[in-house]
Amino acid sequence: MPRLWLLLAWLSFLPLAFGGTAGWAETADESELKAAYIYRFAQFTTWAEPPSGKFDFCVQGQHSVGEGLRKLRGKTVQGAPVHVVRVDSPEAAKTCHVLFLHPAKRSELVEWVSALAARTILLVSDSPDAFQENVTIVFAVEPNRVTFKINLSQARASGLFLSAQMLKLAQEIR
Amino acid sequence: MVGWLAFVALSGWPIGAMAATDAVLERSLEELTRTGLVHPPKNVEISTAAKFPQSADDAPTAVYVVTAEDIRTFGYRTLAEILHGLPGLYTTGDHQYTYLGARGFGLPGDYNTRVLILLDGERVNESGYDSALVGSEFPLDVDLIERVEYVPGPGSAIYGNNAFFGVVNVITRRGRTFDGGEFSAGYGSFDTYKARASYGKRFDGVVDLLLSATRVDRDGPKHPYYWQWTLPEQDGGAAEGLDYDRTLSLFGKVSHGPLTLEAGYLDRSNGFPAVGDGVIFDRREGNTKDRRSFLMLRYDDQIAPAWGLYLRLGYNRYGLFGTYPPLGPSTPESPLPAARDATPARWWGGEIRLTNTQFDRHRLVAGAEWQNNYRLSVRFYVPPDPPLMDFSYRFSRYGLYLQDEIRLGDSLTLLAGVRHDTSPFGNSTNPRLGVIWHPLDTTTLKLLYGTAFRTPSFFEYWTTAFLLGEGPNPNLDILAAGLRPEEIETLQFGLEHYLTPSTRLAASLYRYQMDDLLNQGYDAATGDTYFFNLGQVTGHGLEVEAEQRFANGLRGKLSYSLQHSETAQGSRLPNSPRHMLKFQLSAPLWDERWRLGLETLYVSGRDTLAGHVGAYALGNLILTGDLGENAGVSLGFYNIGNSRYADPANPIFGLDAIEQDGFNFQFKLNLGF
């Protein structure tokens, strides 16, 4: 068997050669990536009532996506300066343009969605239950990607128009 | 191990220098969909473990996911190559079919009846042999796979028959991932040509269409595989041009909202140079044709607040048509005619499933599944004589299941389920109980207890009954074979831990006990095969996996499996490797358009039915690149060390072990339009 082990050892050490010369492929932390997506979603969505004064990105629940969104400060979306707000009740979320939902349990998700579904708010979530519960955009995590699904009837119901670019890149559309 | 540590230590240097920056906010939406993750995520969405979408760390066992990206990076050409790279799984080939072994269990002659394989949720295991074979006989071109989910452990509590050691679900790509037409052409060793034409598109944002056709023509190796036959009059054992493999596969899928209609077809013609003792080696007749087709309609949606409905209706056909060199004494001067058999099977079936989520701590799933095998036929004849065997059979199976996921707290979840299955081949009730606990943000513990079963297949019944009966009998009472379902009881413990955000460790420890194992008996004098319920088999093992990623897109996975299984008499099972070591590395070259995939597989020595085959190590090296928007190339070198190794064989081949491919390559060009 010495030949086998030699081969195995060789293959295992091969990466060393790449350690120094390896190329570069864009990677990101999952939360940063989700925050970047949310920023692009905001740019590719048209609100029935265009944002005026400021553009509110809201975050519900404990999620580091808020830190990623805070890096948007100083930028504008559709001409309005970005504000990042943490919200803890559906009441407080009424002025949000985009709301990221990260509920601790399903009943919380249902509560938020039913309270805000009729408002012109782009609801985004990464909970596995969210697509069933009519959240407009839902992230799905792949082993090496983050993808998103779109609930088009919910978008229409909320008075939101999503661009063709978003529809083209969504993994799934309902 | 030393190599791995060195890899972690030395490849790590770019982390500090090239940490991900705010640049991600500058990427376009399209670029974001192509951005890799710097940390192995724990919340990968999966749906196979409990029949609803959930985060992988909430599943009751480790779930292994292989994506389209992995398939491309590691140059996988068959489902067998995909599964061989996973912890605890190994494949065995005999140049006719490729079989799957799991957790140290892969008896030669077994048609892979102990792992349930699904294609978009529809059972691939056909009704004639209960087989779901994983080589070129798998009905889908791997280029059309979006992802493969493998859930190790007992699955009968929701999937019923054959979910014995685990469940593999192959999920197909959506038409939108092609966004137009694609033509793929490949050439490789052993005169292998591959051509695929696909068209996929999403229309008006709602209707998704995928159509694809693949043709693979492999002439086969020219060097001698069958070293048992080395007499000069047998061409020194070389069977030139007889190990061919030709497949045509078609696939189509159209979905609109919650509705999906899909269909697939495979026609495969495979040549083999030898089939059993006493045959004239190197005769040209040896050939099997496999034909598999399916049509499936699926509906999956929320029908009322807190109520989800899933419906699936499927129609399936499988046929095996074989031509075999004569089994009796035959000489080139006065040859006996070749024998033929045909075992076409047709069935339809479906599943209805309701999910209720109105209680905050519960997710209830209830379902029913049925399968009507309305035509199973067997015909065996040696022209021009009348058939030696000619009969048909029909039967139905039913299954009912109930499952509840109970959230006991923020970090503790229970998954409890039970399923009852009934068919003329045996009834069985199988419970499953899983506990999932997240004591820390970085740590998950999983405990799973469950039973699973497998009924004797139609093939196992009739071959055994035929030996008991006399002559061709259209009314053969196959149930007289008196076989019982085999059962397995498994306890497994899983641990997943993140050493650092980019270093993931996972371990599974399992123990199983099988009762009434269905074992193949072989009468060398007559060449007859039959089945009987053997006593108990016990097994235990360990599967460990380490995954490491770097900011520059370099990713590596190393897994080790230790497995041991033995009969009540204390004898080890054949084709059961004790150790397996698997290593996969994916490295960007220059920029993100070029990537190098490196895979090393080590499988320790295995007992055959009469002897032993040695350990082997395989190294594969694959280079993939994008040549602009619409063109991609891949160049793969397989078994680069040209390891000479053999797999244990089914005794009907009259061989104890069959040698596998040495060094080979494949070049592939994809063009989009």
Side-chain angles (χ1 to χ4, degrees):
Chain A
M1 284 312 99
R3 223 182 116 207
L4 297 178
W5 285 107
L6 267 177
L7 173 71
L8 205 68
W10 179 74
L11 285 172
S12 304
F13 276 100
L14 199 63
L16 304 188
F18 292 103
T21 60
W24 176 269
E26 260 340 297
T27 58
D29 171 78
E30 186 189 317
S31 296
E32 286 174 355
L33 192 54
K34 285 175 179 170
Y37 264 121
I38 292 171
Y39 176 47
R40 295 290 169 200
F41 294 155
Q43 291 176 325
F44 284 114
T45 301
T46 310
W47 277 257
E49 229 173 278
S52 58
K54 60 189 175 67
F55 189 96
D56 280 332
F57 282 102
C58 304
V59 178
Q60 179 272 328
Q62 294 302 312
H63 199 293
S64 45
V65 81
E67 287 149 40
L69 287 173
R70 263 184 281 282
K71 292 183 181 154
L72 293 174
R73 281 178 183 158
K75 292 185 188 290
T76 58
V77 172
Q78 300 181 7
V82 167
H83 276 236
V84 182
V85 190
R86 190 168 285 283
V87 290
D88 44 23
S89 74
E91 281 299 302
K94 282 181 178 166
T95 56
C96 298
H97 293 97
V98 178
L99 171 61
F100 180 76
L101 294 165
H102 186 71
K105 49 187 184 178
R106 196 170 50 229
S107 59
E108 212 178 312
L109 177 73
V110 175
E111 181 194 338
W112 281 75
V113 173
S114 55
L116 299 170
R119 296 195 159 263
T120 327
I121 300 173
L122 180 63
L123 298 179
V124 183
S125 179
D126 61 355
S127 151
D129 287 313
F131 204 51
Q132 286 287 339
E133 298 299 342
N134 291 324
V135 172
T136 311
I137 300 183
V138 180
F139 289 121
V141 177
E142 299 277 336
N144 194 35
R145 293 283 184 274
V146 171
T147 61
F148 61 97
K149 309 180 224 185
I150 290 179
N151 186 325
L152 205 54
S153 44
Q154 183 56 41
R156 289 193 188 112
S158 320
L160 298 169
F161 180 77
L162 309 183
S163 78
Q165 178 71 354
M166 275 171 78
L167 299 183
K168 184 186 158 207
L169 294 171
Q171 185 200 42
E172 191 181 337
I173 297 182
R174 283 274 167 91
Chain B
M1 280 303 153
V2 177
W4 173 257
L5 291 176
F7 159 62
V8 170
L10 283 175
S11 317
W13 73 266
I15 296 180
M18 302 189 208
T21 61
D22 299 356
V24 64
L25 290 175
E26 305 303 325
R27 303 205 97 200
S28 72
L29 195 57
E30 185 165 15
E31 286 167 335
L32 292 177
T33 62
R34 285 188 273 117
T35 301
L37 294 172
V38 67
H39 305 136
K42 46 185 161 185
N43 50 343
V44 171
E45 191 174 298
I46 53 122
S47 56
T48 308
K51 288 193 174 177
F52 55 75
Q54 63 181 153
S55 160
D57 67 339
D58 285 333
T61 78
V63 179
Y64 301 106
V65 180
V66 181
T67 62
E69 184 196 0
D70 299 328
I71 292 171
R72 188 164 179 248
T73 302
F74 298 107
Y76 295 136
R77 298 166 292 185
T78 58
L79 181 63
E81 292 179 340
I82 295 172
L83 298 175
H84 201 4
L86 294 176
L89 292 181
Y90 57 104
T91 58
T92 308
D94 59 17
H95 298 292
Q96 189 183 10
Y97 295 118
T98 308
Y99 313 92
L100 184 63
R103 293 192 160 175
F105 198 96
L107 294 182
D110 180 65
Y111 288 107
N112 181 28
T113 53
R114 293 181 185 88
V115 175
L116 175 66
I117 300 187
L118 307 166
L119 183 67
D120 287 330
E122 175 87 358
R123 183 177 272 264
V124 175
N125 298 63
E126 43 74 40
S127 292
Y129 300 78
D130 279 2
S131 71
L133 301 167
V134 290
S136 63
E137 54 280 11
F138 187 72
L140 187 82
D141 181 347
V142 295
D143 288 354
L144 304 178
I145 295 177
E146 174 74 39
R147 59 151 70 186
V148 176
E149 293 181 13
Y150 167 51
V151 184
S156 287
I158 47 169
Y159 288 102
N161 197 18
N162 306 109
F164 203 77
F165 285 114
V167 179
V168 171
N169 193 6
V170 175
I171 295 160
T172 56
R173 282 171 66 178
R174 291 180 173 83
R176 65 155 287 264
T177 60
F178 286 92
D179 197 28
E182 185 176 272
F183 183 72
S184 170
Y187 176 76
S189 303
F190 315 125
D191 250 355
T192 306
Y193 294 89
K194 175 176 176 175
R196 172 174 59 80
S198 308
Y199 178 79
K201 194 139 188 105
R202 184 154 63 202
F203 297 97
D204 297 335
V206 280
V207 178
D208 190 274
L209 174 76
L210 172 61
L211 295 170
S212 187
T214 302
R215 170 97 184 144
V216 181
D217 195 329
R218 172 185 150 115
D219 273 0
K222 292 190 170 70
H223 61 86
Y225 274 119
Y226 296 85
W227 65 91
Q228 283 85 344
W229 279 282
T230 48
L231 300 175
E233 62 268 31
Q234 290 162 337
D235 297 346
E240 199 166 310
L242 287 187
D243 193 10
Y244 59 87
D245 190 68
R246 295 179 185 122
T247 59
L248 170 70
S249 62
L250 308 172
F251 181 75
K253 178 164 85 161
V254 57
S255 45
H256 180 256
L259 263 183
T260 302
L261 178 71
E262 65 184 70
Y265 173 79
L266 171 79
D267 183 297
R268 173 180 186 260
S269 177
N270 180 272
F272 51 94
V275 66
D277 289 328
V279 306
I280 312 172
F281 180 73
D282 203 6
R283 272 187 52 150
R284 306 250 142 205
E285 285 96 337
N287 171 279
T288 46
K289 285 185 170 49
D290 288 86
R291 268 184 219 130
R292 182 78 168 85
S293 52
F294 63 90
L295 176 70
M296 184 202 346
L297 181 68
R298 199 166 64 231
Y299 174 89
D300 187 5
D301 204 4
Q302 181 142 3
I303 47 164
W307 286 94
L309 173 69
Y310 173 92
L311 273 174
R312 181 168 47 78
L313 274 176
Y315 173 74
N316 287 269
R317 284 167 80 148
Y318 171 67
L320 166 63
F321 307 92
T323 307
Y324 309 96
L327 289 166
S330 179
T331 60
E333 294 74 37
S334 57
L336 284 177
R340 290 167 186 273
D341 70 2
T343 54
R346 295 177 184 190
W347 67 99
W348 68 275
E351 180 174 2
I352 176 165
R353 178 159 82 227
L354 280 168
T355 307
N356 178 285
T357 50
Q358 76 185 90
F359 305 105
D360 198 31
R361 293 187 177 280
H362 296 265
R363 185 195 308 266
L364 283 158
V365 178
E369 211 172 347
W370 69 97
Q371 188 187 60
N372 179 2
N373 298 288
Y374 67 92
R375 197 176 130 192
L376 300 170
S377 304
V378 177
R379 203 170 133 85
F380 183 75
Y381 57 108
V382 182
D385 297 340
L388 289 161
M389 202 186 289
D390 188 6
F391 72 97
S392 291
Y393 191 75
R394 60 196 300 167
F395 77 99
S396 294
R397 306 176 199 271
Y398 303 93
L400 273 176
Y401 60 90
L402 187 66
Q403 177 186 266
D404 191 12
E405 183 199 48
I406 309 155
R407 295 218 170 249
L408 293 177
D410 286 346
S411 60
L412 188 64
T413 306
L414 279 185
L415 185 76
V418 63
R419 171 162 165 150
H420 179 72
D421 280 273
T422 176
S423 85
F425 296 172
N427 304 329
S428 187
T429 303
N430 294 280
R432 179 170 81 159
L433 180 68
V435 183
I436 303 105
W437 183 38
H438 309 286
L440 299 167
D441 252 6
T442 53
T443 310
T444 304
L445 294 168
K446 297 172 175 185
L447 191 67
L448 180 74
Y449 166 82
T451 66
F453 81 109
R454 168 175 95 84
T455 64
S457 68
F458 172 61
F459 163 73
E460 288 165 338
Y461 256 116
W462 70 253
T463 46
T464 308
F466 187 72
L467 284 188
L468 301 173
E470 283 175 18
N473 182 356
N475 303 313
L476 183 71
D477 176 14
I478 68 161
L479 299 180
L483 299 173
R484 294 183 302 277
E486 56 182 32
E487 315 239 328
I488 188 169
E489 190 177 9
T490 308
L491 182 66
Q492 60 189 47
F493 169 74
L495 166 70
E496 197 172 272
H497 179 70
Y498 283 77
L499 272 183
T500 73
S502 50
T503 314
R504 186 181 65 92
L505 296 176
S508 294
L509 205 61
Y510 62 85
R511 186 170 189 90
Y512 61 76
Q513 179 181 321
M514 288 173 66
D515 285 304
D516 289 335
L517 165 71
L518 283 156
N519 196 34
Q520 178 179 288
Y522 177 67
D523 186 335
T526 61
D528 289 322
T529 349
Y530 57 95
F531 291 84
F532 59 98
N533 286 103
L534 190 78
Q536 213 174 64
V537 170
T538 53
H540 53 264
L542 169 75
E543 286 151 11
V544 198
E545 189 180 51
E547 182 176 2
Q548 175 71 41
R549 295 191 188 183
F550 300 98
N552 65 348
L554 189 71
R555 302 192 303 277
K557 264 188 200 178
L558 176 74
S559 80
Y560 169 71
S561 314
L562 172 70
Q563 39 202 21
H564 177 78
S565 50
E566 61 179 38
T567 63
Q569 290 73 39
S571 52
R572 290 205 57 185
L573 293 179
N575 194 19
S576 176
R578 190 165 176 81
H579 309 279
M580 292 195 292
L581 198 60
K582 304 178 181 188
F583 176 57
Q584 283 120 359
L585 176 84
S586 165
L589 294 174
W590 309 295
D591 59 31
E592 61 187 343
R593 294 180 304 143
W594 292 87
R595 200 164 260 281
L596 185 84
L598 184 77
E599 184 170 43
T600 311
L601 305 168
Y602 168 80
V603 176
S604 70
R606 291 164 288 173
D607 288 340
T608 60
L609 290 174
H612 189 79
V613 291
Y616 67 88
L618 296 181
N620 302 330
L621 193 71
I622 284 84
L623 176 71
T624 48
D626 290 332
L627 308 168
E629 274 286 284
N630 289 316
V633 284
S634 98
L635 178 61
F637 300 103
Y638 302 84
N639 192 357
I640 46 179
N642 199 20
S643 283
R644 211 164 166 241
Y645 69 107
D647 282 339
N650 186 333
I652 63 163
F653 286 99
L655 296 170
D656 196 41
I658 293 182
E659 192 176 344
Q660 303 298 309
D661 291 345
F663 169 82
N664 62 98
F665 77 94
Q666 188 194 51
F667 175 75
K668 215 164 92 172
L669 178 69
N670 286 355
L671 288 172
F673 51 87

